[in-house]
Amino acid sequence: MFKNSKLFFGFMLIGSSLWLGLLTFKIAGNLNAGNWPITPAIIMSSDIKRVEHKDERYILDIKYQYEIDGNSYIGKEISNMNQLYNFKEANEKLKLYKENSLVEAIYNRENPTIVYLDVTVNYILYILSVVSFVMAIFSLANLIRLFKNTGVQGI
């Protein structure tokens, strides 16, 4: 059906390239944050919050306080990506962030309001990046084949 569609492969190339760019940006952000300084933080509140999703999914709702150069800040981000959990996983993860507990916060030296508690990169991001890359190459190869065979006409 789409075997000879330049439009289909064009959209597929654009979509997969944009998705690859976003994933690369997120992965690079987490890898870069691994070099940021660490400061102690105190968990002020921790809970799970149900989110609108086709399945029953939850995110962690964490609030923590940390201090940099004598200035006090409030953080809410765990990482640069919100991770969705099922109820059991969310409660397990929540045990890491008990109220009044001391945790390590990783902050951006240039902008201390950018802070995370976890900078590990989920392996799924790598898998999605590879899939996006393969889709982009596949689309590009098909577009080249189609333009060689038919030229510009027939878009």
Side-chain angles (χ1 to χ4, degrees), residues 121-137:
V121 179
N122 191 326
Y123 71 93
I124 291 174
L125 292 180
Y126 290 116
I127 292 170
L128 290 173
S129 295
V130 169
V131 169
S132 296
F133 180 75
V134 168
M135 285 178 63
I137 296 300

Side-chain angles (χ1 to χ4, degrees), residues 22-128:
L22 174 68
L23 291 169
T24 302
F25 177 75
K26 290 293 188 177
I27 290 170
N30 264 21
L31 293 175
N32 184 39
N35 298 321
W36 292 351
I38 297 172
T39 190
I42 296 183
I43 303 293
M44 299 168 64
S45 65
S46 65
D47 201 1
I48 59 173
K49 187 164 72 174
R50 184 151 194 238
V51 294
E52 291 297 321
H53 193 270
K54 65 180 170 83
D55 298 322
E56 185 176 333
R57 292 289 181 233
Y58 298 85
I59 60 171
L60 299 180
D61 187 18
I62 309 292
K63 193 175 188 183
Y64 51 93
Q65 182 176 13
Y66 60 102
E67 193 172 299
I68 312 267
D69 298 328
N71 296 317
S72 184
Y73 298 93
I74 303 292
K76 294 182 181 181
E77 301 293 327
I78 295 172
S79 72
N80 75 343
M81 291 194 69
N82 275 337
Q83 177 130 3
L84 298 176
Y85 302 98
N86 65 36
F87 186 75
K88 183 181 176 188
E89 292 169 335
N91 279 304
E92 281 298 310
K93 192 78 169 170
L94 195 61
K95 291 177 184 176
L96 298 172
Y97 306 109
K98 291 183 180 173
E99 224 169 284
N100 297 317
S101 65
L102 190 64
V103 294
E104 290 183 336
I106 302 140
Y107 68 95
N108 184 328
R109 208 179 313 254
E110 284 98 40
N111 184 357
T113 61
I114 300 174
V115 62
Y116 306 122
L117 299 180
D118 182 9
V119 292
T120 56
V121 179
N122 191 326
Y123 71 93
I124 291 174
L125 292 180
Y126 290 116
I127 292 170
L128 290 173

